[in-house]
Amino acid sequence: MTTRLIVWRHGNTDWNATHRVQGQTDVPLNDLGRQQAVDAAELLVRLRPTALVASDLSRAADTAAALAALTGLSVTYDERLRERSFGQWQGLTMTKVAVTRPVEYARWVAGADVVGGDVETLDDLGKRVAEGLQDAADLVSPGGTVVVATHGGSARSGIGQLLGWPREQLRTLRALQNCHWAELTHDDERGWQLGSYNVGPFGERPVPPPV
């Protein structure tokens, strides 16, 4: 039997809209983000999820709440699913980071760990998020579907860790758009596999599980 894991990025925030580094700052959804969560939930409910897990930051928790309202499921919160900690970058626009912390910014653009600024390493990020994703998947019986509401950077790194991808391969994945998701499946023979990526209300539509 195959377990399905949906890794869902939260809806839009004012800091997303202004390209400001959120990291683990608890920035709420804006009006657009709340509508995106409702629109996405109307699609995700068709997958008949049996468990719902979210980062405890409000932008992810409130995104999950839109699906909880349609499914009747309660949400389990897990701080391991939080966004990457960006330390001293948090609250700055990326333009400001590039100007005031150019060496750190250059390493970030190159996909290397940022040295300085108290930015969480990619290995630490991937490991903690993957542990949270695996524990979320373990909540459902084989054949079940769990939806996890998380963040863009944490989603990509956690997925890469589950799949065993090297950092160079992970960089080929574009970031999830707001309120879009990735679908992974797991079975005992093949382990974790990536089924689809960047699915959402304005693009590819999800495929319901077989009856």
Side-chain angles (χ1 to χ4, degrees):
M1 295 288 286
T2 298
T3 299
R4 175 154 52 177
L5 169 65
I6 305 297
V7 184
W8 184 22
R9 187 187 177 193
H10 62 78
N12 194 260
T13 72
D14 287 345
W15 283 24
N16 286 146
T18 55
H19 306 289
R20 195 172 296 275
V21 181
Q22 296 181 116
Q24 296 189 1
T25 308
D26 198 5
V27 183
L29 296 176
N30 56 24
D31 289 343
L32 172 60
R34 286 187 286 273
Q35 186 59 54
Q36 288 174 332
V38 170
D39 293 343
E42 291 175 351
L43 296 177
L44 287 169
V45 72
R46 303 176 191 177
L47 302 181
R48 300 193 288 277
T50 49
L52 183 53
V53 183
S55 157
D56 61 343
L57 296 178
S58 63
R59 59 190 183 271
D62 290 346
T63 296
L67 183 56
L70 296 181
T71 61
L73 295 170
S74 60
V75 183
T76 300
Y77 302 101
D78 188 339
E79 66 180 19
R80 293 174 297 177
L81 300 170
R82 289 182 178 186
E83 181 58 286
R84 183 179 186 181
S85 176
F86 275 94
Q88 296 172 37
W89 292 27
Q90 291 177 183
L92 303 178
T93 64
M94 290 308 298
T95 300
K96 184 74 170 178
V97 173
V99 171
T100 61
R101 313 181 79 95
V103 175
E104 296 172 13
Y105 179 79
R107 290 185 62 86
W108 176 77
V109 170
D113 280 323
V114 175
V115 178
D118 300 322
V119 178
E120 185 176 12
T121 68
L122 289 167
D123 283 346
D124 286 347
L125 172 65
K127 288 175 182 176
R128 73 164 167 85
V129 177
E131 288 176 357
L133 294 176
Q134 183 64 63
D135 284 351
D138 291 341
L139 293 174
V140 301
S141 301
T145 295
V146 58
V147 176
V148 175
T150 183
H151 308 264
S154 55
R156 182 162 56 181
S157 288
I159 288 169
Q161 184 76 21
L162 283 182
L163 295 171
W165 285 6
R167 189 176 297 184
E168 295 75 16
Q169 185 175 3
L170 186 58
R171 277 176 53 78
T172 66
L173 281 183
R174 294 177 59 187
L176 289 172
Q177 299 176 62
N178 284 119
C179 252
H180 283 54
W181 59 88
E183 176 189 324
L184 293 91
T185 57
H186 183 275
D187 62 48
D188 291 339
E189 292 183 0
R190 292 167 291 188
W192 284 107
Q193 294 187 306
L194 181 63
S196 57
Y197 191 81
N198 249 336
V199 182
F202 311 110
E204 184 181 349
R205 292 296 193 265
V207 178
V211 177

